[in-house]
Amino acid sequence: MSRTPTVPRTLSVAALALVLASGLVACAGQSGSTVASSKPVYGGTLTYLQDRSETCLDPEVGGDIPQAMIGQQVTDDLVYEGPGGKIEPWLAKSWTVSPNGLTYTFTVRDDVKFTDGTAFNAAAVKTNLDRVVDPKTGSSTDGGYIAPFYANSKVLSPYVLQVNLKQPDTALLNVLAQGYIGIESPAGIARGQEKNCADPIGTGPFKIQSYTPTQQVVLVKNKNYNTAPPGSAHSGPAYLDKIIWKIVPDGTVRYAALTKQQADVIYYPPAQDWKALLASGQKILTHERPGSPNGITFNVTKAPLNDVSVRQAIIYASDEATNLKSAYFGTYPYVGSPLVKGTPDYDASLQNAYPASVSKANSLLDAAGWTTRDAAGYRTKNGVELKVTIPYGSDAGQTAAEDLTLYQDIQASEKKAGINIVLQPIGTAALNNLYSSHDYQTLAGDYWITNTPDVLRTLFSTQALKFYGTNGDEYSNPTLDKLLNDALSEQDATKRTALYQQAQKLVSGAALQLNLYPAQERLAYNANIHGITADYAVGLPDFHDTWISK
């Protein structure tokens, strides 16, 4: 799921125990949730403030972070991803994979009901899989992950399902552990997309009581819940009776509500306020999300970014380790590689592939023919100024204030090498049109959250460019395509890692993005709130174990 509104960016994760340069310590994610001072108690209403919402709550339709965050509360997944990327049973009790990787046979639980009272079974899983690969569903996330490989499913018995693939997909189980494909009630799906968007029905710890678009969602406890995943601290129904999930785009307003005890938990607390929050006894949870880092994507079909030397020069000229300390007060680490550290098969050698160096940027630009400068000090070539425009979302909740500061810092860094970075604020509708028309040089705030290195195919392959609209770089390279295809089919883990690391080196060398920082789940909450966790698969908040002390 992405902060770029046109491009959904999804979501094994390693919780980031973030020790800040300022000496602040943030609480970890699911691998280290809040230590309660007393025994958990049942009851209470949690008020949670989110930065933005979607027109559809169903994570299978579209598939953006806000949808998945709701989906995490109301649905369960077929399988569970634990620490270190281990895939464990959840709604599926067990499974087998054929030697050629083309057939997965799942045995699912026989004691589960959806919150509409209908039974969960193998046929329900088939309905969901068939749905997400249907183009009419508009599943940008699940569709892109599953549709290229999915052939069909066959119900072998009420609780046994055979899933047949067109070609091997070693990322399938990881994808099935994500909140974007929580299993939904076939009866609910049959109501039609409009009703399902307002009230997706799952087997999860909560169900939707009401939905006011762009304002709030009210979730109430599923009193019959009996499918807590392996990572839960308790089994059975949630401790909370209700969650009031409000949409408050302004981060400063969310922060003020927390400090005034008008909210219990807020999403994405402003980085400048972390020190004050922790000093006042409130807590911060950070949980690093796997996939690709937040960054600025280069459209390689647009001049001057069609020259790899120019792209490399931009990366060398921008000192992101320093800029992040300025914009985010040291609360984010710099990520210089194509994958975030917690992503399987991450290649640590690429973290510093482009150390900050204005002299290196100057050498590259001189060699590329950008040898003269105009009166403002910007480089020119054949009378054309070296100018790159970075559009960013100007609507409420689209671009964090810290990101805007970061873009301004980048602008200043690039000027030292004679590169004119133009920052262009643009509304959501116009930004969507810009992306759809491919009429952009760059995309800001661009990232993709997923728990598999196959994210490289999602972002940089010719397949993604032609069929899914997720390749914002407009990049196409047959060598990379083959590496990614071979890796996805390779059943041997060691050989698969080698292929993905070759792919990462190719992507890094092509300088397709100015990588910035990892996407993180960031929540601030009051001291009387306990047991907030984030899932390992894509870092979504989970309130099943959450309780309120008196």
Side-chain angles (χ1 to χ4, degrees), residues 53-70:
S53 66
E54 297 291 334
T55 56
C56 177
L57 299 182
D58 183 353
E60 290 184 3
V61 178
D64 203 356
I65 280 290
Q67 295 168 289
M69 291 171 77
I70 291 287

mmCIF file with all atom_site columns, all heavy atoms in Angstrom, residues 53-70:
data_model
loop_
_atom_site.group_PDB
_atom_site.id
_atom_site.type_symbol
_atom_site.label_atom_id
_atom_site.label_alt_id
_atom_site.label_comp_id
_atom_site.label_asym_id
_atom_site.label_entity_id
_atom_site.label_seq_id
_atom_site.pdbx_PDB_ins_code
_atom_site.Cartn_x
_atom_site.Cartn_y
_atom_site.Cartn_z
_atom_site.occupancy
_atom_site.B_iso_or_equiv
_atom_site.pdbx_formal_charge
_atom_site.auth_seq_id
_atom_site.auth_comp_id
_atom_site.auth_asym_id
_atom_site.auth_atom_id
_atom_site.pdbx_PDB_model_num
ATOM 1   N N   . SER A 1 53 ? -9.236  7.284   4.987  1.00 0.00 ? 53 SER A N   1
ATOM 2   C CA  . SER A 1 53 ? -10.115 6.140   4.788  1.00 0.00 ? 53 SER A CA  1
ATOM 3   C C   . SER A 1 53 ? -10.222 5.839   3.303  1.00 0.00 ? 53 SER A C   1
ATOM 4   O O   . SER A 1 53 ? -9.664  6.556   2.464  1.00 0.00 ? 53 SER A O   1
ATOM 5   C CB  . SER A 1 53 ? -11.515 6.426   5.346  1.00 0.00 ? 53 SER A CB  1
ATOM 6   O OG  . SER A 1 53 ? -12.142 7.452   4.599  1.00 0.00 ? 53 SER A OG  1
ATOM 7   N N   . GLU A 1 54 ? -10.935 4.794   2.989  1.00 0.00 ? 54 GLU A N   1
ATOM 8   C CA  . GLU A 1 54 ? -11.204 4.425   1.606  1.00 0.00 ? 54 GLU A CA  1
ATOM 9   C C   . GLU A 1 54 ? -12.711 4.446   1.374  1.00 0.00 ? 54 GLU A C   1
ATOM 10  O O   . GLU A 1 54 ? -13.506 4.390   2.315  1.00 0.00 ? 54 GLU A O   1
ATOM 11  C CB  . GLU A 1 54 ? -10.660 3.019   1.327  1.00 0.00 ? 54 GLU A CB  1
ATOM 12  C CG  . GLU A 1 54 ? -9.155  2.892   1.467  1.00 0.00 ? 54 GLU A CG  1
ATOM 13  C CD  . GLU A 1 54 ? -8.373  3.620   0.394  1.00 0.00 ? 54 GLU A CD  1
ATOM 14  O OE1 . GLU A 1 54 ? -8.909  3.815   -0.718 1.00 0.00 ? 54 GLU A OE1 1
ATOM 15  O OE2 . GLU A 1 54 ? -7.222  3.998   0.657  1.00 0.00 ? 54 GLU A OE2 1
ATOM 16  N N   . THR A 1 55 ? -13.101 4.518   0.110  1.00 0.00 ? 55 THR A N   1
ATOM 17  C CA  . THR A 1 55 ? -14.523 4.470   -0.212 1.00 0.00 ? 55 THR A CA  1
ATOM 18  C C   . THR A 1 55 ? -15.072 3.062   -0.074 1.00 0.00 ? 55 THR A C   1
ATOM 19  O O   . THR A 1 55 ? -16.278 2.864   -0.083 1.00 0.00 ? 55 THR A O   1
ATOM 20  C CB  . THR A 1 55 ? -14.768 4.970   -1.643 1.00 0.00 ? 55 THR A CB  1
ATOM 21  O OG1 . THR A 1 55 ? -13.965 4.190   -2.558 1.00 0.00 ? 55 THR A OG1 1
ATOM 22  C CG2 . THR A 1 55 ? -14.377 6.435   -1.780 1.00 0.00 ? 55 THR A CG2 1
ATOM 23  N N   . CYS A 1 56 ? -14.179 2.083   0.072  1.00 0.00 ? 56 CYS A N   1
ATOM 24  C CA  . CYS A 1 56 ? -14.581 0.689   0.246  1.00 0.00 ? 56 CYS A CA  1
ATOM 25  C C   . CYS A 1 56 ? -13.762 0.080   1.376  1.00 0.00 ? 56 CYS A C   1
ATOM 26  O O   . CYS A 1 56 ? -12.530 0.179   1.374  1.00 0.00 ? 56 CYS A O   1
ATOM 27  C CB  . CYS A 1 56 ? -14.359 -0.099  -1.052 1.00 0.00 ? 56 CYS A CB  1
ATOM 28  S SG  . CYS A 1 56 ? -14.752 -1.859  -0.934 1.00 0.00 ? 56 CYS A SG  1
ATOM 29  N N   . LEU A 1 57 ? -14.428 -0.547  2.343  1.00 0.00 ? 57 LEU A N   1
ATOM 30  C CA  . LEU A 1 57 ? -13.726 -1.164  3.470  1.00 0.00 ? 57 LEU A CA  1
ATOM 31  C C   . LEU A 1 57 ? -13.203 -2.552  3.157  1.00 0.00 ? 57 LEU A C   1
ATOM 32  O O   . LEU A 1 57 ? -12.367 -3.082  3.885  1.00 0.00 ? 57 LEU A O   1
ATOM 33  C CB  . LEU A 1 57 ? -14.660 -1.253  4.685  1.00 0.00 ? 57 LEU A CB  1
ATOM 34  C CG  . LEU A 1 57 ? -15.201 0.057   5.253  1.00 0.00 ? 57 LEU A CG  1
ATOM 35  C CD1 . LEU A 1 57 ? -16.055 -0.227  6.477  1.00 0.00 ? 57 LEU A CD1 1
ATOM 36  C CD2 . LEU A 1 57 ? -14.077 1.024   5.588  1.00 0.00 ? 57 LEU A CD2 1
ATOM 37  N N   . ASP A 1 58 ? -13.703 -3.160  2.093  1.00 0.00 ? 58 ASP A N   1
ATOM 38  C CA  . ASP A 1 58 ? -13.345 -4.535  1.748  1.00 0.00 ? 58 ASP A CA  1
ATOM 39  C C   . ASP A 1 58 ? -11.916 -4.580  1.207  1.00 0.00 ? 58 ASP A C   1
ATOM 40  O O   . ASP A 1 58 ? -11.644 -4.042  0.134  1.00 0.00 ? 58 ASP A O   1
ATOM 41  C CB  . ASP A 1 58 ? -14.332 -5.054  0.702  1.00 0.00 ? 58 ASP A CB  1
ATOM 42  C CG  . ASP A 1 58 ? -14.081 -6.502  0.321  1.00 0.00 ? 58 ASP A CG  1
ATOM 43  O OD1 . ASP A 1 58 ? -13.069 -7.073  0.757  1.00 0.00 ? 58 ASP A OD1 1
ATOM 44  O OD2 . ASP A 1 58 ? -14.905 -7.061  -0.424 1.00 0.00 ? 58 ASP A OD2 1
ATOM 45  N N   . PRO A 1 59 ? -10.968 -5.221  1.912  1.00 0.00 ? 59 PRO A N   1
ATOM 46  C CA  . PRO A 1 59 ? -9.578  -5.230  1.446  1.00 0.00 ? 59 PRO A CA  1
ATOM 47  C C   . PRO A 1 59 ? -9.363  -6.014  0.160  1.00 0.00 ? 59 PRO A C   1
ATOM 48  O O   . PRO A 1 59 ? -8.320  -5.859  -0.487 1.00 0.00 ? 59 PRO A O   1
ATOM 49  C CB  . PRO A 1 59 ? -8.816  -5.872  2.610  1.00 0.00 ? 59 PRO A CB  1
ATOM 50  C CG  . PRO A 1 59 ? -9.833  -6.692  3.325  1.00 0.00 ? 59 PRO A CG  1
ATOM 51  C CD  . PRO A 1 59 ? -11.129 -5.948  3.184  1.00 0.00 ? 59 PRO A CD  1
ATOM 52  N N   . GLU A 1 60 ? -10.311 -6.864  -0.227 1.00 0.00 ? 60 GLU A N   1
ATOM 53  C CA  . GLU A 1 60 ? -10.174 -7.597  -1.487 1.00 0.00 ? 60 GLU A CA  1
ATOM 54  C C   . GLU A 1 60 ? -10.494 -6.722  -2.696 1.00 0.00 ? 60 GLU A C   1
ATOM 55  O O   . GLU A 1 60 ? -10.171 -7.078  -3.825 1.00 0.00 ? 60 GLU A O   1
ATOM 56  C CB  . GLU A 1 60 ? -11.081 -8.829  -1.491 1.00 0.00 ? 60 GLU A CB  1
ATOM 57  C CG  . GLU A 1 60 ? -10.632 -9.918  -0.527 1.00 0.00 ? 60 GLU A CG  1
ATOM 58  C CD  . GLU A 1 60 ? -11.486 -11.167 -0.611 1.00 0.00 ? 60 GLU A CD  1
ATOM 59  O OE1 . GLU A 1 60 ? -12.404 -11.211 -1.459 1.00 0.00 ? 60 GLU A OE1 1
ATOM 60  O OE2 . GLU A 1 60 ? -11.255 -12.105 0.178  1.00 0.00 ? 60 GLU A OE2 1
ATOM 61  N N   . VAL A 1 61 ? -11.140 -5.584  -2.477 1.00 0.00 ? 61 VAL A N   1
ATOM 62  C CA  . VAL A 1 61 ? -11.471 -4.648  -3.547 1.00 0.00 ? 61 VAL A CA  1
ATOM 63  C C   . VAL A 1 61 ? -10.478 -3.498  -3.467 1.00 0.00 ? 61 VAL A C   1
ATOM 64  O O   . VAL A 1 61 ? -10.488 -2.724  -2.524 1.00 0.00 ? 61 VAL A O   1
ATOM 65  C CB  . VAL A 1 61 ? -12.918 -4.114  -3.405 1.00 0.00 ? 61 VAL A CB  1
ATOM 66  C CG1 . VAL A 1 61 ? -13.223 -3.097  -4.503 1.00 0.00 ? 61 VAL A CG1 1
ATOM 67  C CG2 . VAL A 1 61 ? -13.915 -5.262  -3.441 1.00 0.00 ? 61 VAL A CG2 1
ATOM 68  N N   . GLY A 1 62 ? -9.608  -3.378  -4.443 1.00 0.00 ? 62 GLY A N   1
ATOM 69  C CA  . GLY A 1 62 ? -8.523  -2.412  -4.364 1.00 0.00 ? 62 GLY A CA  1
ATOM 70  C C   . GLY A 1 62 ? -7.390  -3.031  -3.563 1.00 0.00 ? 62 GLY A C   1
ATOM 71  O O   . GLY A 1 62 ? -6.601  -3.806  -4.089 1.00 0.00 ? 62 GLY A O   1
ATOM 72  N N   . GLY A 1 63 ? -7.335  -2.709  -2.281 1.00 0.00 ? 63 GLY A N   1
ATOM 73  C CA  . GLY A 1 63 ? -6.312  -3.309  -1.432 1.00 0.00 ? 63 GLY A CA  1
ATOM 74  C C   . GLY A 1 63 ? -5.274  -2.325  -0.953 1.00 0.00 ? 63 GLY A C   1
ATOM 75  O O   . GLY A 1 63 ? -4.082  -2.492  -1.168 1.00 0.00 ? 63 GLY A O   1
ATOM 76  N N   . ASP A 1 64 ? -5.734  -1.253  -0.264 1.00 0.00 ? 64 ASP A N   1
ATOM 77  C CA  . ASP A 1 64 ? -4.816  -0.265  0.263  1.00 0.00 ? 64 ASP A CA  1
ATOM 78  C C   . ASP A 1 64 ? -4.713  -0.450  1.777  1.00 0.00 ? 64 ASP A C   1
ATOM 79  O O   . ASP A 1 64 ? -5.516  -1.151  2.388  1.00 0.00 ? 64 ASP A O   1
ATOM 80  C CB  . ASP A 1 64 ? -5.306  1.149   -0.084 1.00 0.00 ? 64 ASP A CB  1
ATOM 81  C CG  . ASP A 1 64 ? -4.182  2.179   -0.080 1.00 0.00 ? 64 ASP A CG  1
ATOM 82  O OD1 . ASP A 1 64 ? -3.049  1.810   0.256  1.00 0.00 ? 64 ASP A OD1 1
ATOM 83  O OD2 . ASP A 1 64 ? -4.445  3.344   -0.423 1.00 0.00 ? 64 ASP A OD2 1
ATOM 84  N N   . ILE A 1 65 ? -3.735  0.207   2.381  1.00 0.00 ? 65 ILE A N   1
ATOM 85  C CA  . ILE A 1 65 ? -3.454  0.024   3.800  1.00 0.00 ? 65 ILE A CA  1
ATOM 86  C C   . ILE A 1 65 ? -4.674  0.279   4.693  1.00 0.00 ? 65 ILE A C   1
ATOM 87  O O   . ILE A 1 65 ? -4.969  -0.523  5.581  1.00 0.00 ? 65 ILE A O   1
ATOM 88  C CB  . ILE A 1 65 ? -2.258  0.894   4.234  1.00 0.00 ? 65 ILE A CB  1
ATOM 89  C CG1 . ILE A 1 65 ? -0.944  0.210   3.832  1.00 0.00 ? 65 ILE A CG1 1
ATOM 90  C CG2 . ILE A 1 65 ? -2.247  1.132   5.730  1.00 0.00 ? 65 ILE A CG2 1
ATOM 91  C CD1 . ILE A 1 65 ? -0.630  -1.034  4.630  1.00 0.00 ? 65 ILE A CD1 1
ATOM 92  N N   . PRO A 1 66 ? -5.405  1.394   4.536  1.00 0.00 ? 66 PRO A N   1
ATOM 93  C CA  . PRO A 1 66 ? -6.556  1.601   5.425  1.00 0.00 ? 66 PRO A CA  1
ATOM 94  C C   . PRO A 1 66 ? -7.582  0.470   5.353  1.00 0.00 ? 66 PRO A C   1
ATOM 95  O O   . PRO A 1 66 ? -8.197  0.121   6.362  1.00 0.00 ? 66 PRO A O   1
ATOM 96  C CB  . PRO A 1 66 ? -7.150  2.926   4.930  1.00 0.00 ? 66 PRO A CB  1
ATOM 97  C CG  . PRO A 1 66 ? -6.000  3.640   4.307  1.00 0.00 ? 66 PRO A CG  1
ATOM 98  C CD  . PRO A 1 66 ? -5.208  2.558   3.640  1.00 0.00 ? 66 PRO A CD  1
ATOM 99  N N   . GLN A 1 67 ? -7.784  -0.104  4.163  1.00 0.00 ? 67 GLN A N   1
ATOM 100 C CA  . GLN A 1 67 ? -8.701  -1.237  4.035  1.00 0.00 ? 67 GLN A CA  1
ATOM 101 C C   . GLN A 1 67 ? -8.161  -2.452  4.792  1.00 0.00 ? 67 GLN A C   1
ATOM 102 O O   . GLN A 1 67 ? -8.900  -3.134  5.504  1.00 0.00 ? 67 GLN A O   1
ATOM 103 C CB  . GLN A 1 67 ? -8.884  -1.596  2.569  1.00 0.00 ? 67 GLN A CB  1
ATOM 104 C CG  . GLN A 1 67 ? -9.569  -0.540  1.722  1.00 0.00 ? 67 GLN A CG  1
ATOM 105 C CD  . GLN A 1 67 ? -9.447  -0.859  0.252  1.00 0.00 ? 67 GLN A CD  1
ATOM 106 O OE1 . GLN A 1 67 ? -8.376  -0.752  -0.326 1.00 0.00 ? 67 GLN A OE1 1
ATOM 107 N NE2 . GLN A 1 67 ? -10.544 -1.260  -0.360 1.00 0.00 ? 67 GLN A NE2 1
ATOM 108 N N   . ALA A 1 68 ? -6.887  -2.720  4.605  1.00 0.00 ? 68 ALA A N   1
ATOM 109 C CA  . ALA A 1 68 ? -6.288  -3.889  5.253  1.00 0.00 ? 68 ALA A CA  1
ATOM 110 C C   . ALA A 1 68 ? -6.284  -3.746  6.767  1.00 0.00 ? 68 ALA A C   1
ATOM 111 O O   . ALA A 1 68 ? -6.399  -4.739  7.491  1.00 0.00 ? 68 ALA A O   1
ATOM 112 C CB  . ALA A 1 68 ? -4.871  -4.104  4.731  1.00 0.00 ? 68 ALA A CB  1
ATOM 113 N N   . MET A 1 69 ? -6.150  -2.525  7.256  1.00 0.00 ? 69 MET A N   1
ATOM 114 C CA  . MET A 1 69 ? -6.149  -2.306  8.704  1.00 0.00 ? 69 MET A CA  1
ATOM 115 C C   . MET A 1 69 ? -7.519  -2.636  9.300  1.00 0.00 ? 69 MET A C   1
ATOM 116 O O   . MET A 1 69 ? -7.609  -3.210  10.388 1.00 0.00 ? 69 MET A O   1
ATOM 117 C CB  . MET A 1 69 ? -5.737  -0.872  9.010  1.00 0.00 ? 69 MET A CB  1
ATOM 118 C CG  . MET A 1 69 ? -4.268  -0.598  8.690  1.00 0.00 ? 69 MET A CG  1
ATOM 119 S SD  . MET A 1 69 ? -3.793  1.145   8.803  1.00 0.00 ? 69 MET A SD  1
ATOM 120 C CE  . MET A 1 69 ? -3.668  1.348   10.571 1.00 0.00 ? 69 MET A CE  1
ATOM 121 N N   . ILE A 1 70 ? -8.586  -2.286  8.591  1.00 0.00 ? 70 ILE A N   1
ATOM 122 C CA  . ILE A 1 70 ? -9.932  -2.688  9.011  1.00 0.00 ? 70 ILE A CA  1
ATOM 123 C C   . ILE A 1 70 ? -10.086 -4.198  8.845  1.00 0.00 ? 70 ILE A C   1
ATOM 124 O O   . ILE A 1 70 ? -10.597 -4.904  9.728  1.00 0.00 ? 70 ILE A O   1
ATOM 125 C CB  . ILE A 1 70 ? -10.998 -1.955  8.184  1.00 0.00 ? 70 ILE A CB  1
ATOM 126 C CG1 . ILE A 1 70 ? -11.015 -0.462  8.528  1.00 0.00 ? 70 ILE A CG1 1
ATOM 127 C CG2 . ILE A 1 70 ? -12.381 -2.576  8.406  1.00 0.00 ? 70 ILE A CG2 1
ATOM 128 C CD1 . ILE A 1 70 ? -11.618 -0.127  9.864  1.00 0.00 ? 70 ILE A CD1 1
#
